[in-house]
Structure formats: structure tokens, C-alpha cells
Amino acid sequence: MTTLLSHRKFAILVLLSFFATLSHQATPPPNPRLKNAYFALLAWKHSITEDPRGFTSNWYGYDVCNYTGVFCAPALDDPDVTTVAGIDLNHGNISGSLPEDMGLLTDLALFHINTNKFCGTVPKSFEKLRLLYELDISNNRFSGDFPSVVLSLPSLKFLDIRFNQFNGSIPSKLYDLKLDAIFVNNNLFQITFPKNLGNSPVSVIVFANNKINGCLPSSIKKMAKTLNEIILQNVSLSGCLTSDIGSLKNLTVFDVSFNSLVGLLPESIEEMKSLEQLNIAHNKFSGDIPDSICSLPRLQNFTYSYNYFEGEPKICLKLKDKDDKKNCIPDRPKQREEKECKAFYTRPVNCRGCGDPPPPPPPPPKEHWFPPYGYFTSPPLKH
């Protein structure tokens, strides 16, 4: 995620500086698109109840290109026409809502209002923002159902609605969109992974701190070419990880910490040669950690504390950042008590239909074993 966000920050700075330069080129009287933008921004200002840092204090008059946080650029369909192409009111601590008039900003490509106190919902009129490329409304107080209006935005690539109070389910159609990044973490969603999850071409997807029922669908293998980071921290996952995980060979970050996953750690993780950060802490994994996982060429951080592992290869101890406390590993410090480990291993592993482990081998035959009476269609012959 760090790499993606750093590239995004650089791109945004370039875009905003470009928009800012062009903003001062706007001359009155405004063209019809800037007039529409004026009416939209005026309506928005009236819906703002608190602006402690004065971001909107100069929002008056038709020269919208000089408003704080508003950036203008030539229209894509007519370079001779100046339009409002970007809005950035990040970290303003602004209270208010988004009015339906926002749909008048039809040339908007970037809409960033993270870290404010906006509430309510995303207006249905956003469906008119056909050029919207990045939507970041994170860290606000939006609520209600998933803002399904985003499903009708054909140009959208970056969706960030994390740290709000959205609830209910997430439409499966979201994973059919050509998005590059999805951040829905830290909301109140209660979802089940749909079968089409693997259709998404995203490079980053973060579900953390919601509630997810069921298993990771096998279709996740289809994300192998694009997916770089997936974070499933604290989402109530249970069952076992399947070997399908190993198909994600471009993955750099894999985080399933703070769940209730059980069973063995799949050896197929050894195929994830790009993996840099692996966090499986605070689960109920058991058995031995495969040597090949700690031998991954790019692995920097491996956190597997608060599980029930009983075997740890020496190569894992050589990793720069690791955490193995609160397991059942002999001769390692800060492990669980022996009686706790014994009690855990007396209980069978229940994968709950997610990656069921192979059945145990049948017991060896006794020395003079004969099939029981009734095994054949007729009684066994007497000698």
C-alpha cells in the first residue's frame, strides 16, 4: 500500500499544481460550465455548518477557479473551455453534507474531502460525474447503505470510503468495475465474499475492520496478475486458508491478522515470490511453519504471534522483522503455557468448509484381520 499511496500522492501533487496554474487563467465572464460550477459550490457552501480552518471563506463570486481547494483545467472535449476539474478539501475538519447540486460539476476528475465531518449520504446526482477518476470521502461521518451511485461512474479508478459508518452489504457489481484501488475498511459492513470477487482488476483492496462471513472464493486466483496488496485484518474470517492463496504471485502485502483462522499455513505461500509483509497474527494456526515461507526472497516482515504453531524453522529467526511470541514453540521466549497448548491440540481442526484438510489416513490393518460378518453379500466361508 505504501508504494501505491506514494505514487498517488506524487500524481495528485502534479495534477493539482497543473490545475492551480491553469486556475489563474480563468477570465470573466465565466463560461456556462463555470456558471454551473458556481451554483454547485454555492449550494455546497450553504450546506456547510462549520469550517474552522476557513477553507471556504473565499467561496464567493463567479471566479470559482480561485476558490480554495478548487482547481480548474481545460475541458477534455474542448481545450478552449475552462472547467472545474478537481476539488481537494482534505483535512479541513469541515462539517456539513453534500447537496444534490454537486451533480452540476460534470467535468470533475478528482474529489477529495478526507478527514472532515461530512455526514449523510453521497448524492444520487454524482451519477452525472462521468469523468470522475478518484473519489476519496474517507474519514468522515457518512452513513447508510453502500453508496451505490459509484457503480455508475465509468471513469472511476480509485475508491476510498474507509473510516465512515456505512453499513449493510457491498454490491457484487463493485468487483466487476475496472478499479485500481478499493478501500472500504473501518465501516460497519456485514458481507459475504461473492463468487465474482476475482473479476476485480485492483492492485490494492482493503476490507479491514468490517465483518465478513464465508470463505475467500477460489476466483481470487484470477486476481494474480494485478493484485499487490490485500488486507483482511479483523474481519471475522474463520476456517482454513486454501492453497489458492499461492496463486497471488504479485502480492507484496498479505494481512489476515486478528481473525479466527485455523489449520496449517498453506505451503503454497512459497510461490508468492514478491511477498514483503506477511501478517497472520492473532489467529489459531497450528502445526509447523514451512521453511520455504521464511525463505521467500523479498520477505521483510513476518508476524505470526498469538497462534498455536509448534514448529519454527531456524531461517525464520533470521528475518529482520518477525514476531513469534504466544505460540507453542519449544525453547522460544514468551510462549503459551504448556497446558494451554496441550488443550488446544486435543481439539480437532474445523475448517468450516473453507479448505478442509485431508482426512487422516486409515489405521493400519491388524495382524490377523478379517472383514466383519456381513461385509460380503453372503457369510464368509468356513474352513
Side-chain angles (χ1 to χ4, degrees), residues 267-292:
E267 290 195 28
S268 62
I269 293 178
E270 68 182 12
E271 300 171 20
M272 300 161 70
K273 304 297 184 183
S274 299
L275 201 60
E276 298 174 4
Q277 298 181 43
L278 175 59
N279 192 344
I280 58 171
H282 291 270
N283 280 285
K284 298 177 182 178
F285 289 112
S286 55
D288 295 342
I289 297 174
D291 297 44
S292 55

PDB file of all heavy atoms in Angstrom, residues 267-292:
ATOM      1  N   GLU A 267       1.484 -24.373   2.313  1.00  0.00           N
ATOM      2  CA  GLU A 267       2.829 -24.342   1.748  1.00  0.00           C
ATOM      3  C   GLU A 267       2.876 -23.590   0.431  1.00  0.00           C
ATOM      4  O   GLU A 267       3.946 -23.150  -0.009  1.00  0.00           O
ATOM      5  CB  GLU A 267       3.355 -25.767   1.560  1.00  0.00           C
ATOM      6  CG  GLU A 267       3.672 -26.469   2.872  1.00  0.00           C
ATOM      7  CD  GLU A 267       4.504 -27.713   2.676  1.00  0.00           C
ATOM      8  OE1 GLU A 267       5.256 -27.763   1.683  1.00  0.00           O
ATOM      9  OE2 GLU A 267       4.402 -28.628   3.502  1.00  0.00           O
ATOM     10  N   SER A 268       1.715 -23.424  -0.210  1.00  0.00           N
ATOM     11  CA  SER A 268       1.676 -22.716  -1.497  1.00  0.00           C
ATOM     12  C   SER A 268       2.105 -21.262  -1.358  1.00  0.00           C
ATOM     13  O   SER A 268       2.416 -20.601  -2.360  1.00  0.00           O
ATOM     14  CB  SER A 268       0.264 -22.777  -2.091  1.00  0.00           C
ATOM     15  OG  SER A 268      -0.676 -22.126  -1.249  1.00  0.00           O
ATOM     16  N   ILE A 269       2.162 -20.741  -0.130  1.00  0.00           N
ATOM     17  CA  ILE A 269       2.632 -19.365   0.063  1.00  0.00           C
ATOM     18  C   ILE A 269       4.062 -19.214  -0.442  1.00  0.00           C
ATOM     19  O   ILE A 269       4.495 -18.123  -0.812  1.00  0.00           O
ATOM     20  CB  ILE A 269       2.517 -18.966   1.554  1.00  0.00           C
ATOM     21  CG1 ILE A 269       1.028 -18.893   1.945  1.00  0.00           C
ATOM     22  CG2 ILE A 269       3.184 -17.620   1.839  1.00  0.00           C
ATOM     23  CD1 ILE A 269       0.780 -18.558   3.406  1.00  0.00           C
ATOM     24  N   GLU A 270       4.789 -20.315  -0.518  1.00  0.00           N
ATOM     25  CA  GLU A 270       6.164 -20.268  -1.018  1.00  0.00           C
ATOM     26  C   GLU A 270       6.232 -19.789  -2.465  1.00  0.00           C
ATOM     27  O   GLU A 270       7.296 -19.364  -2.937  1.00  0.00           O
ATOM     28  CB  GLU A 270       6.812 -21.647  -0.910  1.00  0.00           C
ATOM     29  CG  GLU A 270       6.215 -22.684  -1.857  1.00  0.00           C
ATOM     30  CD  GLU A 270       6.825 -24.066  -1.701  1.00  0.00           C
ATOM     31  OE1 GLU A 270       7.540 -24.270  -0.703  1.00  0.00           O
ATOM     32  OE2 GLU A 270       6.593 -24.918  -2.581  1.00  0.00           O
ATOM     33  N   GLU A 271       5.107 -19.837  -3.172  1.00  0.00           N
ATOM     34  CA  GLU A 271       5.064 -19.392  -4.561  1.00  0.00           C
ATOM     35  C   GLU A 271       4.886 -17.874  -4.682  1.00  0.00           C
ATOM     36  O   GLU A 271       5.006 -17.311  -5.771  1.00  0.00           O
ATOM     37  CB  GLU A 271       3.925 -20.098  -5.292  1.00  0.00           C
ATOM     38  CG  GLU A 271       4.063 -21.625  -5.299  1.00  0.00           C
ATOM     39  CD  GLU A 271       2.824 -22.311  -5.844  1.00  0.00           C
ATOM     40  OE1 GLU A 271       2.045 -21.616  -6.548  1.00  0.00           O
ATOM     41  OE2 GLU A 271       2.624 -23.507  -5.573  1.00  0.00           O
ATOM     42  N   MET A 272       4.633 -17.202  -3.568  1.00  0.00           N
ATOM     43  CA  MET A 272       4.386 -15.757  -3.589  1.00  0.00           C
ATOM     44  C   MET A 272       5.725 -15.032  -3.465  1.00  0.00           C
ATOM     45  O   MET A 272       6.058 -14.439  -2.430  1.00  0.00           O
ATOM     46  CB  MET A 272       3.416 -15.385  -2.463  1.00  0.00           C
ATOM     47  CG  MET A 272       2.073 -16.106  -2.607  1.00  0.00           C
ATOM     48  SD  MET A 272       1.080 -16.173  -1.083  1.00  0.00           S
ATOM     49  CE  MET A 272       0.589 -14.472  -0.891  1.00  0.00           C
ATOM     50  N   LYS A 273       6.495 -15.043  -4.533  1.00  0.00           N
ATOM     51  CA  LYS A 273       7.881 -14.576  -4.521  1.00  0.00           C
ATOM     52  C   LYS A 273       8.018 -13.076  -4.309  1.00  0.00           C
ATOM     53  O   LYS A 273       9.099 -12.594  -3.985  1.00  0.00           O
ATOM     54  CB  LYS A 273       8.580 -14.965  -5.826  1.00  0.00           C
ATOM     55  CG  LYS A 273       8.553 -16.458  -6.149  1.00  0.00           C
ATOM     56  CD  LYS A 273       9.287 -17.280  -5.098  1.00  0.00           C
ATOM     57  CE  LYS A 273       9.330 -18.751  -5.511  1.00  0.00           C
ATOM     58  NZ  LYS A 273       9.976 -19.589  -4.455  1.00  0.00           N
ATOM     59  N   SER A 274       6.944 -12.322  -4.486  1.00  0.00           N
ATOM     60  CA  SER A 274       7.005 -10.862  -4.307  1.00  0.00           C
ATOM     61  C   SER A 274       6.635 -10.433  -2.895  1.00  0.00           C
ATOM     62  O   SER A 274       6.700  -9.245  -2.569  1.00  0.00           O
ATOM     63  CB  SER A 274       6.085 -10.169  -5.312  1.00  0.00           C
ATOM     64  OG  SER A 274       6.462 -10.444  -6.637  1.00  0.00           O
ATOM     65  N   LEU A 275       6.246 -11.379  -2.047  1.00  0.00           N
ATOM     66  CA  LEU A 275       5.726 -11.049  -0.728  1.00  0.00           C
ATOM     67  C   LEU A 275       6.779 -10.357   0.139  1.00  0.00           C
ATOM     68  O   LEU A 275       7.894 -10.839   0.299  1.00  0.00           O
ATOM     69  CB  LEU A 275       5.238 -12.323  -0.036  1.00  0.00           C
ATOM     70  CG  LEU A 275       4.234 -12.153   1.102  1.00  0.00           C
ATOM     71  CD1 LEU A 275       2.969 -11.464   0.605  1.00  0.00           C
ATOM     72  CD2 LEU A 275       3.882 -13.513   1.707  1.00  0.00           C
ATOM     73  N   GLU A 276       6.386  -9.202   0.704  1.00  0.00           N
ATOM     74  CA  GLU A 276       7.268  -8.425   1.577  1.00  0.00           C
ATOM     75  C   GLU A 276       6.769  -8.408   3.016  1.00  0.00           C
ATOM     76  O   GLU A 276       7.568  -8.407   3.946  1.00  0.00           O
ATOM     77  CB  GLU A 276       7.398  -6.992   1.057  1.00  0.00           C
ATOM     78  CG  GLU A 276       8.023  -6.894  -0.330  1.00  0.00           C
ATOM     79  CD  GLU A 276       8.014  -5.481  -0.872  1.00  0.00           C
ATOM     80  OE1 GLU A 276       7.592  -4.549  -0.131  1.00  0.00           O
ATOM     81  OE2 GLU A 276       8.427  -5.285  -2.033  1.00  0.00           O
ATOM     82  N   GLN A 277       5.448  -8.366   3.187  1.00  0.00           N
ATOM     83  CA  GLN A 277       4.877  -8.318   4.529  1.00  0.00           C
ATOM     84  C   GLN A 277       3.798  -9.389   4.652  1.00  0.00           C
ATOM     85  O   GLN A 277       2.845  -9.407   3.877  1.00  0.00           O
ATOM     86  CB  GLN A 277       4.281  -6.944   4.814  1.00  0.00           C
ATOM     87  CG  GLN A 277       5.295  -5.813   4.769  1.00  0.00           C
ATOM     88  CD  GLN A 277       4.669  -4.467   5.089  1.00  0.00           C
ATOM     89  OE1 GLN A 277       3.866  -4.339   5.996  1.00  0.00           O
ATOM     90  NE2 GLN A 277       5.040  -3.456   4.310  1.00  0.00           N
ATOM     91  N   LEU A 278       3.963 -10.264   5.629  1.00  0.00           N
ATOM     92  CA  LEU A 278       3.024 -11.346   5.887  1.00  0.00           C
ATOM     93  C   LEU A 278       2.617 -11.282   7.352  1.00  0.00           C
ATOM     94  O   LEU A 278       3.449 -11.445   8.242  1.00  0.00           O
ATOM     95  CB  LEU A 278       3.671 -12.692   5.560  1.00  0.00           C
ATOM     96  CG  LEU A 278       2.855 -13.953   5.876  1.00  0.00           C
ATOM     97  CD1 LEU A 278       1.532 -13.948   5.124  1.00  0.00           C
ATOM     98  CD2 LEU A 278       3.663 -15.205   5.527  1.00  0.00           C
ATOM     99  N   ASN A 279       1.346 -11.012   7.594  1.00  0.00           N
ATOM    100  CA  ASN A 279       0.850 -10.882   8.960  1.00  0.00           C
ATOM    101  C   ASN A 279      -0.314 -11.835   9.163  1.00  0.00           C
ATOM    102  O   ASN A 279      -1.387 -11.663   8.575  1.00  0.00           O
ATOM    103  CB  ASN A 279       0.408  -9.441   9.239  1.00  0.00           C
ATOM    104  CG  ASN A 279       0.149  -9.186  10.718  1.00  0.00           C
ATOM    105  OD1 ASN A 279       0.010 -10.123  11.513  1.00  0.00           O
ATOM    106  ND2 ASN A 279       0.071  -7.935  11.101  1.00  0.00           N
ATOM    107  N   ILE A 280      -0.095 -12.847   9.993  1.00  0.00           N
ATOM    108  CA  ILE A 280      -1.140 -13.835  10.289  1.00  0.00           C
ATOM    109  C   ILE A 280      -1.369 -13.910  11.799  1.00  0.00           C
ATOM    110  O   ILE A 280      -1.917 -14.896  12.298  1.00  0.00           O
ATOM    111  CB  ILE A 280      -0.756 -15.218   9.740  1.00  0.00           C
ATOM    112  CG1 ILE A 280       0.572 -15.678  10.337  1.00  0.00           C
ATOM    113  CG2 ILE A 280      -0.680 -15.198   8.216  1.00  0.00           C
ATOM    114  CD1 ILE A 280       0.919 -17.125  10.020  1.00  0.00           C
ATOM    115  N   ALA A 281      -0.958 -12.877  12.527  1.00  0.00           N
ATOM    116  CA  ALA A 281      -1.034 -12.877  13.985  1.00  0.00           C
ATOM    117  C   ALA A 281      -2.477 -12.911  14.476  1.00  0.00           C
ATOM    118  O   ALA A 281      -3.413 -12.552  13.764  1.00  0.00           O
ATOM    119  CB  ALA A 281      -0.332 -11.635  14.539  1.00  0.00           C
ATOM    120  N   HIS A 282      -2.633 -13.366  15.737  1.00  0.00           N
ATOM    121  CA  HIS A 282      -3.932 -13.393  16.406  1.00  0.00           C
ATOM    122  C   HIS A 282      -4.948 -14.229  15.625  1.00  0.00           C
ATOM    123  O   HIS A 282      -6.024 -13.768  15.269  1.00  0.00           O
ATOM    124  CB  HIS A 282      -4.447 -11.969  16.637  1.00  0.00           C
ATOM    125  CG  HIS A 282      -3.659 -11.201  17.655  1.00  0.00           C
ATOM    126  ND1 HIS A 282      -3.951 -11.201  18.998  1.00  0.00           N
ATOM    127  CD2 HIS A 282      -2.542 -10.426  17.532  1.00  0.00           C
ATOM    128  CE1 HIS A 282      -3.088 -10.451  19.650  1.00  0.00           C
ATOM    129  NE2 HIS A 282      -2.209  -9.971  18.783  1.00  0.00           N
ATOM    130  N   ASN A 283      -4.561 -15.459  15.348  1.00  0.00           N
ATOM    131  CA  ASN A 283      -5.453 -16.458  14.772  1.00  0.00           C
ATOM    132  C   ASN A 283      -5.301 -17.745  15.569  1.00  0.00           C
ATOM    133  O   ASN A 283      -4.864 -17.713  16.730  1.00  0.00           O
ATOM    134  CB  ASN A 283      -5.145 -16.668  13.286  1.00  0.00           C
ATOM    135  CG  ASN A 283      -5.748 -15.595  12.401  1.00  0.00           C
ATOM    136  OD1 ASN A 283      -6.944 -15.589  12.153  1.00  0.00           O
ATOM    137  ND2 ASN A 283      -4.906 -14.670  11.931  1.00  0.00           N
ATOM    138  N   LYS A 284      -5.620 -18.881  14.954  1.00  0.00           N
ATOM    139  CA  LYS A 284      -5.481 -20.165  15.634  1.00  0.00           C
ATOM    140  C   LYS A 284      -4.754 -21.159  14.728  1.00  0.00           C
ATOM    141  O   LYS A 284      -5.078 -22.343  14.694  1.00  0.00           O
ATOM    142  CB  LYS A 284      -6.856 -20.705  16.025  1.00  0.00           C
ATOM    143  CG  LYS A 284      -7.600 -19.804  17.009  1.00  0.00           C
ATOM    144  CD  LYS A 284      -8.991 -20.328  17.320  1.00  0.00           C
ATOM    145  CE  LYS A 284      -9.725 -19.368  18.263  1.00  0.00           C
ATOM    146  NZ  LYS A 284     -11.111 -19.843  18.552  1.00  0.00           N
ATOM    147  N   PHE A 285      -3.785 -20.649  13.973  1.00  0.00           N
ATOM    148  CA  PHE A 285      -2.989 -21.536  13.132  1.00  0.00           C
ATOM    149  C   PHE A 285      -2.172 -22.479  14.011  1.00  0.00           C
ATOM    150  O   PHE A 285      -1.787 -22.133  15.144  1.00  0.00           O
ATOM    151  CB  PHE A 285      -2.051 -20.724  12.234  1.00  0.00           C
ATOM    152  CG  PHE A 285      -2.738 -19.972  11.134  1.00  0.00           C
ATOM    153  CD1 PHE A 285      -2.790 -18.586  11.145  1.00  0.00           C
ATOM    154  CD2 PHE A 285      -3.349 -20.656  10.088  1.00  0.00           C
ATOM    155  CE1 PHE A 285      -3.417 -17.888  10.127  1.00  0.00           C
ATOM    156  CE2 PHE A 285      -3.988 -19.966   9.060  1.00  0.00           C
ATOM    157  CZ  PHE A 285      -4.029 -18.578   9.080  1.00  0.00           C
ATOM    158  N   SER A 286      -1.860 -23.641  13.461  1.00  0.00           N
ATOM    159  CA  SER A 286      -1.147 -24.653  14.240  1.00  0.00           C
ATOM    160  C   SER A 286      -0.171 -25.406  13.341  1.00  0.00           C
ATOM    161  O   SER A 286      -0.021 -25.099  12.156  1.00  0.00           O
ATOM    162  CB  SER A 286      -2.150 -25.619  14.888  1.00  0.00           C
ATOM    163  OG  SER A 286      -3.005 -26.185  13.895  1.00  0.00           O
ATOM    164  N   GLY A 287       0.509 -26.391  13.921  1.00  0.00           N
ATOM    165  CA  GLY A 287       1.466 -27.182  13.158  1.00  0.00           C
ATOM    166  C   GLY A 287       2.800 -26.473  13.012  1.00  0.00           C
ATOM    167  O   GLY A 287       3.164 -25.606  13.814  1.00  0.00           O
ATOM    168  N   ASP A 288       3.510 -26.832  11.973  1.00  0.00           N
ATOM    169  CA  ASP A 288       4.829 -26.251  11.713  1.00  0.00           C
ATOM    170  C   ASP A 288       4.747 -25.178  10.635  1.00  0.00           C
ATOM    171  O   ASP A 288       3.968 -25.300   9.686  1.00  0.00           O
ATOM    172  CB  ASP A 288       5.810 -27.331  11.253  1.00  0.00           C
ATOM    173  CG  ASP A 288       6.094 -28.358  12.338  1.00  0.00           C
ATOM    174  OD1 ASP A 288       5.822 -28.050  13.514  1.00  0.00           O
ATOM    175  OD2 ASP A 288       6.577 -29.456  12.008  1.00  0.00           O
ATOM    176  N   ILE A 289       5.581 -24.172  10.764  1.00  0.00           N
ATOM    177  CA  ILE A 289       5.715 -23.166   9.716  1.00  0.00           C
ATOM    178  C   ILE A 289       6.640 -23.725   8.642  1.00  0.00           C
ATOM    179  O   ILE A 289       7.765 -24.125   8.947  1.00  0.00           O
ATOM    180  CB  ILE A 289       6.296 -21.857  10.275  1.00  0.00           C
ATOM    181  CG1 ILE A 289       5.338 -21.259  11.305  1.00  0.00           C
ATOM    182  CG2 ILE A 289       6.559 -20.858   9.160  1.00  0.00           C
ATOM    183  CD1 ILE A 289       5.887 -20.048  12.025  1.00  0.00           C
ATOM    184  N   PRO A 290       6.203 -23.787   7.397  1.00  0.00           N
ATOM    185  CA  PRO A 290       7.069 -24.319   6.335  1.00  0.00           C
ATOM    186  C   PRO A 290       8.343 -23.496   6.169  1.00  0.00           C
ATOM    187  O   PRO A 290       8.303 -22.255   6.167  1.00  0.00           O
ATOM    188  CB  PRO A 290       6.181 -24.233   5.081  1.00  0.00           C
ATOM    189  CG  PRO A 290       4.774 -24.203   5.595  1.00  0.00           C
ATOM    190  CD  PRO A 290       4.850 -23.461   6.894  1.00  0.00           C
ATOM    191  N   ASP A 291       9.488 -24.180   6.025  1.00  0.00           N
ATOM    192  CA  ASP A 291      10.775 -23.492   5.826  1.00  0.00           C
ATOM    193  C   ASP A 291      10.725 -22.548   4.634  1.00  0.00           C
ATOM    194  O   ASP A 291      11.297 -21.453   4.668  1.00  0.00           O
ATOM    195  CB  ASP A 291      11.886 -24.523   5.577  1.00  0.00           C
ATOM    196  CG  ASP A 291      12.097 -25.443   6.754  1.00  0.00           C
ATOM    197  OD1 ASP A 291      11.085 -25.922   7.331  1.00  0.00           O
ATOM    198  OD2 ASP A 291      13.258 -25.694   7.095  1.00  0.00           O
ATOM    199  N   SER A 292      10.021 -22.981   3.588  1.00  0.00           N
ATOM    200  CA  SER A 292      10.039 -22.224   2.333  1.00  0.00           C
ATOM    201  C   SER A 292       9.424 -20.842   2.468  1.00  0.00           C
ATOM    202  O   SER A 292       9.770 -19.925   1.718  1.00  0.00           O
ATOM    203  CB  SER A 292       9.302 -23.018   1.246  1.00  0.00           C
ATOM    204  OG  SER A 292       7.986 -23.345   1.678  1.00  0.00           O
TER     205      SER A 292
END
